[in-house]
Amino acid sequence: KNLSSYNSMEIVNAGLWNSLTKLNVLDKYSSGHSAMVVEEDAINGKVTAVTIDSLMQAYGLNHVDVLKIDIETSEKELFLKNYERWLPKVRMIVIELHDWLRPGCSRAFFAAVNATLNNYSYSVCGENTIIENKDWA
């Protein structure tokens, strides 16, 4: 619905995760539709999970100019593992970190950034944390 006026968009009906698996959608924090979260359930999950790496491969992308992430606490899993191949290929990340809902989201994100990127800038604009990869070519 939000993208209906854009002709060049392709919608992938999936959850973003650090591995190809299945997920369930939950209202874990009783916040309604604005803060639904996902949890991994490889056996009974109802939602297919994709990785950034798998999306880049599926669409033939060698790099990402701007990666906007607002995945309601799942950023913790996204940046815990399997980020080493795709993260250096991202020029800028704009992310909402949800430590107020789930402690450790920021720690996982910044640990991945510090382990992967040698030269980056950091800023905050409202609820968004912005990382610009200065080594991006």
Side-chain angles (χ1 to χ4, degrees):
K1 188 174 178 180
N2 290 340
L3 301 174
S4 63
S5 62
Y6 297 95
N7 295 329
S8 62
M9 297 286 181
E10 185 166 334
I11 298 167
V12 177
N13 191 9
L16 190 58
W17 207 248
N18 61 29
S19 64
L20 302 174
T21 187
K22 294 286 187 176
L23 307 168
N24 280 321
V25 180
L26 309 165
D27 188 4
K28 186 173 183 176
Y29 303 105
S30 301
S31 298
H33 72 282
S34 63
M36 300 298 281
V37 300
V38 296
E39 289 184 350
E40 186 171 356
D41 184 348
I43 306 296
N44 298 309
K46 306 286 189 245
V47 177
T48 299
V50 295
T51 65
I52 292 176
D53 220 15
S54 71
L55 290 172
M56 290 179 72
Q57 289 174 11
Y59 291 95
L61 302 175
N62 296 318
H63 68 276
V64 175
D65 291 321
V66 178
L67 179 62
K68 171 66 169 102
I69 301 172
D70 181 7
I71 52 177
E72 308 303 326
T73 74
S74 292
E75 64 270 19
K76 184 172 183 178
E77 277 76 20
L78 183 64
F79 289 97
L80 277 177
K81 61 182 181 179
N82 299 330
Y83 55 81
E84 298 86 357
R85 277 184 19 156
W86 62 264
L87 187 53
K89 298 174 184 175
V90 178
R91 182 179 202 169
M92 182 177 291
I93 299 172
V94 180
I95 187 170
E96 288 186 32
L97 297 166
H98 296 89
D99 289 83
W100 59 279
L101 285 173
R102 184 172 180 214
C105 292
S106 294
R107 179 178 293 279
F109 173 68
F110 282 107
V113 167
N114 286 317
T116 309
L117 305 181
N118 294 316
N119 186 18
Y120 66 87
S121 66
Y122 159 80
S123 61
V124 176
C125 182
E127 59 191 6
N128 294 308
T129 297
I130 303 164
I131 299 292
E132 182 181 359
N133 181 356
K134 297 292 190 174
D135 290 329
W136 188 81

